[in-house]
Amino acid sequence: MGWCCQAQSDEPSQQPAAQFHVGGCQLPEGTGVLGCCLKIWDNPIRSVPSTMSRPISSRLIGAVGGLIGLISGCATLSDGTSSRLDLVQSRGELLCGVSGKIPGFSFLSPEGRYAGLDVDICKAMAAAFVGDSAKVQYRPLTAPERFTALRSGEIDLLSRNTTHTLSRDAAGGNGLSFAPTVFHDGQGLMVSVGSGVRSMADLSGKAICVGSGTTTEQNLNDAFAAQGLPYTPIKYQDLNQVVGGYLQGRCAAMTSDRSQLASARSGFKDPQQHVILEDRLSKEPLAPAVVGGDQRMADATNWVVYALIEAEERGITQANLDDVLERAVADPSQAALRRFLGVDGGLGAKLGLPDDFVVQVIRATGNYGEIYNRHLGPGSAVTIPRGPNRLGGEGGLMISPPFT
């Protein structure tokens, strides 16, 4: 599919911010934002169902509402037993923060429907928490907005291609609680085939488009500083604008997680004319996150992800779930399987969830492998080899602790 990309700005004089880095040293920057209309990346149809939209004019109202919710939530959380999970269950709906602009992970279709791996994680959580995967209100967030939205209570869960790092996890940093990794990624660089660039070293002294306020920006500086390579970062507010700047020739390369580079390239008019370099700038374990200090919410979130992985390990799919469940009910000797599916109760109750929460999750989304193949596997719009995202028994990193 093609692009309809042209420069647009809120003010005629605005330009993307730029800095010149040499060995980690940076000069003062200007400010500005470049807007870009992209046929596939940023959908021209912005009118979506009210439960899925987040118009600019309502953000202040949403923020105030989130603050009120947070304050009332704090009142109930102070006894040490209540949790954000209680608020989600009493509301009957999950507020889930996503990107909405990354094909394969979270993308808003022209029909106004969100789809992608991160979106299916939201659905799995809703199925477990409130018994209905459709009871999700998606909140599209930029990278700078995401942690504020989580802390303020505007969202219950962040499922937005977010890297698990020490600073984001620690109480002295962002103070988040991360669920298990749902996609093992790494930062890369994409250039045009005709640029003559074959490695990171060839980008010495050149401009590179990067998203501001992300680990991507820091990783870029660290990698180039380590090799003593000067470069000029061209910073944008979100990945949509990074792509626009790159396609308009404002930089020799763009950098992001390799998965996002592949997603972006899938929408280019001529994808074969762009290549992702072999250089890997970082490791990026992407995971959902909730506010720290709420163990019940964190536990429930963690074990929903583990349930998706365990189901794939056991070969349980959407298609065969009812047959497997029927066999488990009929055969008392299948103790481990009966616990996993909630036939023999107790595990779900320890998480504040129904004992059959695993059944609800698999019925809604399928197992982890099904989610991956649906959005990133062969035949999908964005094909990314599973690599480290294979099961542990198949040479990958995806493994679940025992359900005991």
Side-chain angles (χ1 to χ4, degrees):
M1 298 182 67
W3 292 67
C4 55
C5 189
Q6 59 183 0
Q8 297 176 341
S9 63
D10 297 331
E11 298 179 15
S13 61
Q14 280 189 319
Q15 294 294 328
Q19 293 179 325
F20 191 77
H21 285 230
V22 181
C25 182
Q26 63 184 40
L27 298 175
E29 64 174 358
T31 58
V33 175
L34 177 69
C36 184
C37 170
L38 308 174
K39 180 180 290 186
I40 183 170
W41 195 263
D42 192 11
N43 298 281
I45 299 178
R46 307 308 297 172
S47 177
V48 297
S50 61
T51 57
M52 302 170 70
S53 63
R54 188 171 180 263
I56 300 298
S57 61
S58 68
R59 290 203 178 179
L60 180 58
I61 296 175
V64 173
L67 182 59
I68 293 173
L70 181 62
I71 293 172
S72 60
C74 289
T76 61
L77 293 176
S78 61
D79 61 7
T81 59
S82 296
S83 165
R84 185 80 184 186
L85 180 61
D86 297 320
L87 299 179
V88 173
Q89 291 173 332
S90 64
R91 186 195 306 129
E93 182 181 55
L94 178 71
L95 308 180
C96 201
V98 298
S99 167
K101 296 181 179 180
I102 306 176
F105 289 85
S106 62
F107 185 67
L108 184 61
S109 72
E111 294 75 31
R113 296 177 181 175
Y114 283 95
L117 186 147
D118 287 341
V119 171
D120 275 2
I121 295 298
C122 296
K123 292 180 178 179
M125 298 296 172
F129 296 173
V130 300
D132 188 344
S133 64
K135 296 296 185 180
V136 183
Q137 185 176 149
Y138 299 99
R139 300 290 178 84
L141 301 167
T142 66
E145 291 174 331
R146 55 187 166 174
F147 300 139
T148 300
L150 195 55
R151 287 193 301 267
S152 71
E154 182 182 352
I155 58 174
D156 306 310
L157 173 75
L158 181 66
S159 183
R160 189 202 177 282
N161 57 293
T162 300
T163 304
H164 184 172
T165 70
L166 183 152
S167 296
R168 292 171 175 176
D169 186 276
N174 293 109
L176 306 182
S177 288
F178 282 88
T181 299
V182 296
F183 190 88
H184 292 272
D185 208 348
Q187 187 172 329
L189 294 154
M190 184 161 62
V191 300
S192 65
V193 172
S195 68
V197 174
R198 298 293 178 264
S199 70
M200 187 172 74
D202 295 333
L203 290 170
S204 178
K206 299 185 182 298
I208 300 175
C209 290
V210 61
S212 64
T214 65
T215 56
T216 305
E217 182 182 356
Q218 179 178 335
N219 293 336
L220 177 66
N221 185 56
D222 290 349
F224 274 69
Q227 296 193 27
L229 300 174
Y231 74 100
T232 303
I234 308 297
K235 299 181 183 182
Y236 294 98
Q237 183 75 6
D238 60 33
L239 188 62
N240 193 29
Q241 296 168 349
V242 172
V243 173
Y246 169 71
L247 289 177
Q248 293 173 16
R250 295 182 176 273
C251 48
M254 65 171 284
T255 184
S256 188
D257 293 345
R258 296 171 72 87
S259 62
Q260 294 188 29
L261 296 178
S263 295
R265 186 173 58 180
S266 71
F268 290 0
K269 182 177 180 180
D270 195 353
Q272 293 76 21
Q273 294 304 308
H274 303 267
V275 61
I276 300 173
L277 301 179
E278 292 295 327
D279 300 88
R280 189 178 291 266
L281 279 59
S282 69
K283 54 185 177 183
E284 304 289 333
L286 309 182
V290 296
V291 172
D294 184 348
Q295 183 169 349
R296 287 181 53 210
M297 183 67 170
D299 286 348
T301 304
N302 291 348
W303 285 95
V304 170
V305 175
Y306 286 138
L308 294 169
I309 299 170
E310 176 85 4
E312 185 181 9
E313 291 176 337
R314 291 180 173 274
I316 304 174
T317 67
Q318 275 183 312
N320 68 18
L321 173 62
D322 289 333
D323 290 339
V324 174
L325 181 59
E326 184 178 348
R327 290 200 303 270
V329 171
D331 187 355
S333 70
Q334 299 293 319
L337 179 61
R338 288 166 65 91
R339 281 195 304 271
F340 180 59
L341 297 178
V343 176
D344 291 334
L347 293 185
K350 294 178 180 180
L351 300 171
L353 302 176
D355 284 332
D356 70 341
F357 79 94
V358 171
V359 172
Q360 300 301 323
V361 168
I362 305 309
R363 181 163 286 134
T365 65
N367 62 42
Y368 175 77
E370 290 181 280
I371 293 175
Y372 191 101
N373 288 333
R374 182 158 55 243
H375 303 294
L376 304 172
S380 67
V382 182
T383 301
I384 302 176
R386 277 190 73 169
N389 298 295
R390 292 173 294 174
L391 294 177
E394 300 173 358
L397 299 175
M398 308 303 288
I399 187 171
S400 170
F403 276 70
T404 56

